[in-house]
Amino acid sequence: MTSPLVQLDSNGVSIWLDDLSRSRIESGNLASLIETRSVSGVTTNPTIFAQALGKGEGYGPQVSELASLGKSATEAIFEITTVDVANACDIFKDVYAKTNGFDGRVSIEVEPGLAHDTAGTVKQAKELYAKVNRENVMIKIPATKAGLSAITSVIGEGISVNVTLIFSLQRYHEVIAAYIAGIKLAKAKGHDLSKIHSVASFFVSRVDTEIDKRLEAIGTDEAIALKSKAALANARLAYQVFEQDFATSEWAELEASGANKQRPLMASTGVKDPALLDTLYVTELVAPMLVNTMPEKTMEAVFDHGVIPENSIVGHYTESTEVLNQLAKLGISYDEVTELLETEGVEKFIISWNELVASIDAALEAAK
């Protein structure tokens, strides 16, 4: 029997785990997931590291060492997280080699407080890349206005980038443009374009959470009928943007020089509404050249009972557009929702980052 996760991978969707911790690395769990769950990459963010470090599993010795060296909480976080990411990169090195760099990737994010600081983002992206010192690392940069210029600069340095916190189709167009500009810059600087990879992380479930709340407030039959449809519509239309924006003669020329398309990545694919099927944001988003980064709970649900179609995106563009049109007719502003979600996304990561700093600060103090 072929597992649903093997089938998902066969249908063109790379399975990346949305979680990382030292205990997961050292116990052999991460290596096991490559073998048993077709996992081909890992993504991290400030919230994930805050949770891992909050549990303290396996971090004690390094925290004690960093305390003895007089490191600040921010310096300690840099050291701790880059060690985890470098070790995870080593675990994925065979996947990386086998897939010619498309998979076997581990993502680490710049500090969320830099979300509106282009120069600061570029500086830290370079520092993280140098510190991890692994070809298969990806640096996560948020798709804020300031982030767009940073994406171009960092790609231009030959560094692979995971663009995160994308909610709107318009911003996604801008992200792809920033990536292509970065590839041109990298080419001008003489970098090997075939070594540069990027994914664009389009957030899914949070769109339904916000829009469903507004639909319930309206409360009409027409509004309730649209519940839990916006996120899939938005994500499917994002794939259409991917198809269109990489179908230009400009891109074909860069591809001929060895450039790789920036792949769309479906993020935030854990279902928030218990009334929904727990595999919804995976099985309904299947297409070639896609990445789905999922929490372990979602991944296990797909492994257990996911029904994987050959393609559940292409062919749904007209109905997806109609869903967004109907929302507009009900007075729900797509632009307002996506702007709010971007703002909240940055704020949530800043809160997690501050919690992380506070917990490491306490751990350093205790270790003295």
Side-chain angles (χ1 to χ4, degrees):
M1 283 286 288
T2 299
S3 86
L5 290 173
V6 170
Q7 190 63 52
L8 188 64
D9 182 68
S10 299
N11 290 1
V13 180
S14 295
I15 299 156
W16 291 6
L17 178 69
D18 194 24
D19 189 52
L20 186 64
S21 67
R22 191 154 298 180
S23 60
R24 196 184 277 285
I25 292 166
E26 293 179 346
S27 67
N29 171 264
L30 190 58
S32 172
L33 292 175
I34 296 171
E35 299 301 319
T36 65
R37 297 295 184 266
S38 304
V39 170
S40 59
V42 162
T43 50
T44 66
N45 60 45
T47 304
I48 286 169
F49 275 127
Q51 289 168 347
L53 285 152
K55 291 174 186 171
E57 298 169 18
Y59 293 103
Q62 191 181 7
V63 169
S64 296
E65 182 191 350
L66 293 166
S68 71
L69 294 170
K71 297 289 185 183
S72 70
T74 305
E75 289 168 334
I77 291 165
F78 184 84
E79 296 294 329
I80 291 165
T81 58
T82 51
V83 164
D84 279 1
V85 169
N87 288 336
C89 282
D90 290 344
I91 291 168
F92 280 99
K93 67 180 187 295
D94 291 344
V95 176
Y96 176 74
K98 189 173 74 177
T99 61
N100 293 317
F102 275 87
D103 287 317
R105 294 285 178 173
V106 184
S107 297
I108 184 168
E109 191 157 348
V110 296
E111 288 178 32
L114 298 171
H116 304 295
D117 177 354
T118 302
T121 296
V122 173
K123 179 176 180 287
Q124 191 172 82
K126 290 178 181 177
E127 289 169 352
L128 287 167
Y129 181 73
K131 182 68 176 178
V132 174
N133 195 27
R134 301 291 189 277
E135 202 174 83
N136 54 331
V137 70
M138 271 186 165
I139 308 302
K140 283 179 93 170
I141 297 174
T144 56
K145 281 291 185 185
L148 295 171
S149 301
I151 291 157
T152 297
S153 296
V154 175
I155 291 288
E157 294 297 325
I159 297 170
S160 294
V161 171
N162 176 339
V163 183
T164 189
L165 284 177
I166 308 171
F167 294 96
S168 80
L169 299 171
Q170 178 55 39
R171 184 54 55 84
Y172 185 29
H173 281 296
E174 293 168 0
V175 165
I176 293 173
Y179 171 68
I180 292 172
I183 290 293
K184 286 180 179 174
L185 185 58
K187 185 180 179 182
K189 290 185 173 188
H191 290 290
D192 180 353
L193 301 188
S194 70
K195 294 284 189 184
I196 305 169
H197 288 262
S198 184
V199 292
S201 298
F202 211 84
F203 279 52
V204 183
S205 65
R206 294 186 195 182
V207 174
D208 268 347
T209 301
E210 181 60 34
I211 288 181
D212 285 0
K213 187 168 64 179
R214 296 176 185 221
L215 289 169
E216 285 171 2
I218 293 167
T220 62
D221 290 347
E222 187 183 8
I224 299 304
L226 286 170
K227 273 191 69 182
S228 309
K229 291 185 177 178
L232 289 177
N234 198 37
R236 285 166 170 165
L237 292 173
Y239 191 83
Q240 184 181 39
V241 168
F242 161 70
E243 289 183 315
Q244 291 170 344
D245 288 10
F246 284 105
T248 64
S249 56
E250 175 192 40
W251 176 255
E253 196 176 308
L254 291 168
E255 202 164 42
S257 299
N260 299 291
K261 287 177 182 171
Q262 180 188 58
R263 290 191 291 166
L265 179 153
M266 298 302 168
S268 184
T269 54
V271 170
K272 307 285 196 295
D273 182 348
L276 299 177
L277 187 64
D278 53 3
T279 60
L280 181 72
Y281 301 129
V282 178
T283 61
E284 293 303 314
L285 295 171
V286 179
M289 290 285 288
L290 199 66
V291 182
N292 194 307
T293 180
M294 28 185 132
E296 189 171 22
K297 184 180 175 184
T298 301
M299 186 180 71
E300 289 299 334
V302 175
F303 178 80
D304 180 66
H305 53 265
V307 178
I308 311 299
E310 186 176 342
N311 192 314
S312 50
I313 293 180
V314 178
H316 293 277
Y317 299 149
T318 302
E319 69 186 69
S320 297
T321 302
E322 184 55 29
V323 167
L324 298 190
N325 288 341
Q326 287 174 6
L327 289 169
K329 284 175 188 171
L330 289 172
I332 294 174
S333 167
Y334 176 84
D335 291 341
E336 184 196 323
V337 167
T338 54
E339 282 172 23
L340 173 68
L341 290 171
E342 180 186 299
T343 302
E344 285 183 349
V346 171
E347 287 172 354
K348 283 175 182 175
F349 280 159
I350 288 173
I351 290 166
S352 293
W353 179 261
N354 291 339
E355 288 170 354
L356 182 54
V357 170
S359 64
I360 291 296
D361 217 13
L364 289 169
E365 198 57 43
K368 285 179 182 176

